[in-house]
Amino acid sequence: MAAEGGSNELVQVVALLGAGVVAVPIFRRLGLGSVLGYFAAGIVIGPFAIGLFPDPASVLHVAEFGVIMLLFIIGLEMQPSRLWGLRREIFGLGLAQVAVCGALLTFAGILAGLSAPVAFVAGMGFVLSSTAVVMQMLDERGDTSTPAGQKAVSILLLEDLAIVPLLAIVAFLAPQETHAGGSRLTGVAIALAAIIGLVVAGRYLLNPMFKILARSKAREVMTAAALLVVLGSALLMDIGGLSMAMGAFLAGVMLSESTFRHQLEADIEPFRGILLGLFFLAVGMSLDLPAIAANWGMVAAAVVGFVAVKAAGIFVVARLFGSNWREAVDRTALFAQGGEFAFVLYAAATASGVMDARENAVFTAAVIISMALTPFTAIALKRLMPPRPETSLDNVERADGLTGSVLIVGFGRFGQMVSQPLLARGFDVSIIELDVEMIEAAAEFGFKVYYGDGTRLDVLRTSGAGEARAIVVCADGRQTASKIADLARHEFSQAQLYVRAYDRGHAIDLIRSGVDYQLRETFESAMAFGEAVLIGLDVPEEEAAEIVADVRKRDEERLTLQVAGDIYSGIDLVNGNAPIPSPLTRPKRRGVIYDEALIGPAQPRVSGG
């Protein structure tokens, strides 16, 4: 019997993996997104179709950890510096859209006969647009880095942040049994204590813990520690009577400025991706198809009503914040659907008694249908709207039929300097750039630069990438440079590929992808700058050159180790300035004496001199 039970569980695991592996590529190929693929696969293998999972709630319970990990990663991205840089878009435009659309949808729900708590939860759940759908469509259109795309990303960030207080509100909206007044105050006190405890732990314990673990150089221990932080913070919030997702988010924010942030994200990402996909599968399995069929009129009304009301709110907010009518309509088409966080909110509301199972089924179905309609809405919008006025290309030529032996993509401050030795040697250099003002300014200084988007394969072909001996990617921005490099590496293998790297992490990714040469955009200037500082401090020029050469050598060795290992590899090759006390010697921190006999980086020892 035990063998039969184990075999049945294995069948279910294989079915989950197989359903996702088959459905997601098909749906992505159709332009409908991976999220809808998971939903469809879940419906097929769920209790109302094939019936491989008679109790999808058990799968959903485990898969909720995917949402917890997603919120942890969102927290890691919420560094105070980044939030401050996008503060106007996030807390102005984003907050206005969420507030206006939430109020309109709540009011519409009350008019439709829903109780105020149910109308609020249903409306606010629908306000949270699908990050997966919106980001995929922006990426496919190449609009992520445009001003309109950055506004869309800012709105998504605010909506991602909004799920945390919304989950807390749902917990307080939950029907309470009759208790003495002190019981509720006790619950609030416990919740506040849990939050304070998590903040204190994040501020004073997490970074020292990860520093100790990093010295062990045991990758599996770091991964285990990352999972411990996520699940431990979720458990602490759960004990405090709050959302586990809130705990994970706060832990992420606490670590957002940590030097271990990228490693934590890399360790958590595989678990997040698998469990989040499992979550969407479980949501699909949980769709009560008979209940939806019995309430099809209500589902249809919810879809039409919610989409129409939300679309009106998005359009009005966009116009009030200075968007032209085309941008406002485009944003409306992108954001008018509900999103995956609605399922989290609705599930929490159902578990706490704010919603019943029937309402959950209806509103969940409405969100899924709205998400499925979004790609079709965007296609219809593209065909019905008048053509977008093209950027004025007066006195600017498009890249077409170029034949240079070197193709430079991007002609900003970096590309301009790269072109100089090539032109001095007499190479035939073709240059493409997207910024029309830059093209016009370059013409005044004797450059022939063509208009072209290097992230498009057809533009690279017409720019002569197929005949070029070298493709030099000088475009600004990590994502843009990586996309151009991937296209060039796969489609134009005859050309050597040189890519400007944004930072060290980007350089590691480029090396692993197989580019011929990469260079961090500030590395050479920093080396020259540092050498000049040494000389200014009366270090002999020959000695300064030797020191810089040694730094270069160590940096190359460390980069090689990091490519083969992880971001912590070769950390001993870095020249640090933290004092290291001599054994059995109490540090007095008055001065630092360096061992001049060492050729490499000196190990400082503290002296009381």
Side-chain angles (χ1 to χ4, degrees), residues 522-591:
T522 58
F523 181 75
E524 289 296 336
S525 57
M527 290 295 97
F529 197 93
E531 185 174 354
V533 173
L534 288 174
I535 296 172
L537 295 175
D538 298 326
V539 176
E541 291 188 15
E542 183 177 350
E543 183 182 350
E546 290 177 357
I547 293 173
V548 171
D550 180 70
V551 172
R552 288 179 182 276
K553 178 182 177 182
R554 286 175 168 271
D555 185 84
E556 291 175 3
E557 291 177 1
R558 183 181 172 217
L559 194 61
T560 301
L561 292 172
Q562 288 176 319
V563 171
D566 57 32
I567 197 67
Y568 299 108
S569 301
I571 196 170
D572 55 320
L573 295 170
V574 178
N575 294 306
N577 66 338
I580 301 177
S582 300
L584 304 179
T585 301
R586 184 172 181 174
K588 298 183 180 179
R589 296 182 180 273
R590 289 190 181 177

Side-chain angles (χ1 to χ4, degrees), residues 399-443:
D400 188 12
L402 306 186
T403 57
S405 57
V406 178
L407 172 62
I408 295 180
V409 183
F411 202 62
R413 63 187 189 279
F414 190 88
Q416 292 167 22
M417 297 308 301
V418 170
S419 70
Q420 291 303 286
L422 297 170
L423 294 171
R425 181 60 176 79
F427 282 101
D428 184 9
V429 178
S430 299
I431 307 171
I432 62 173
E433 167 63 53
L434 262 180
D435 189 333
V436 174
E437 293 183 2
M438 179 64 72
I439 295 173
E440 293 174 342

Side-chain angles (χ1 to χ4, degrees), residues 235-291:
L235 176 62
L236 182 60
M237 288 295 101
D238 188 47
I239 293 173
L242 298 174
S243 163
M244 291 192 293
M246 177 189 289
F249 175 80
L250 289 176
V253 173
M254 292 296 100
L255 290 167
S256 63
E257 296 285 1
S258 169
T259 55
F260 303 96
R261 180 172 68 89
H262 295 295
Q263 184 66 39
L264 287 170
E265 189 171 353
D267 287 337
I268 291 296
E269 183 64 29
F271 300 97
R272 180 206 65 87
I274 293 173
L275 287 174
L276 196 59
L278 187 61
F279 175 79
F280 293 137
L281 279 169
V283 169
M285 288 188 282
S286 301
L287 282 179
D288 191 341
L289 298 183

Side-chain angles (χ1 to χ4, degrees), residues 182-265:
S183 178
R184 181 177 287 273
L185 291 177
T186 301
V188 173
I190 293 174
L192 290 175
I195 294 174
I196 293 172
L198 181 58
V199 171
V200 170
R203 178 67 178 84
Y204 297 105
L205 299 180
L206 294 184
N207 265 315
M209 180 187 76
F210 280 111
K211 288 178 182 177
I212 294 172
L213 295 177
R215 294 192 186 103
S216 70
K217 298 182 180 180
R219 178 66 183 271
E220 68 278 4
V221 174
M222 290 293 292
T223 302
L227 291 173
L228 175 64
V229 169
V230 177
L231 301 182
S233 56
L235 176 62
L236 182 60
M237 288 295 101
D238 188 47
I239 293 173
L242 298 174
S243 163
M244 291 192 293
M246 177 189 289
F249 175 80
L250 289 176
V253 173
M254 292 296 100
L255 290 167
S256 63
E257 296 285 1
S258 169
T259 55
F260 303 96
R261 180 172 68 89
H262 295 295
Q263 184 66 39
L264 287 170
E265 189 171 353

Side-chain angles (χ1 to χ4, degrees), residues 475-553:
D476 190 19
R478 174 175 183 152
Q479 293 182 346
T480 301
S482 294
K483 186 172 183 179
I484 297 170
D486 287 340
L487 285 175
R489 185 167 53 85
H490 287 102
E491 300 294 333
F492 310 108
S493 57
Q494 89 290 339
Q496 298 180 59
L497 183 56
Y498 300 81
V499 186
R500 165 194 188 181
Y502 176 75
D503 56 17
R504 192 175 200 89
H506 189 205
I508 293 171
D509 292 340
L510 291 171
I511 294 171
R512 287 172 176 168
S513 70
V515 303
D516 294 287
Y517 181 81
Q518 54 70 37
L519 180 67
R520 306 195 296 282
E521 57 187 26
T522 58
F523 181 75
E524 289 296 336
S525 57
M527 290 295 97
F529 197 93
E531 185 174 354
V533 173
L534 288 174
I535 296 172
L537 295 175
D538 298 326
V539 176
E541 291 188 15
E542 183 177 350
E543 183 182 350
E546 290 177 357
I547 293 173
V548 171
D550 180 70
V551 172
R552 288 179 182 276
K553 178 182 177 182

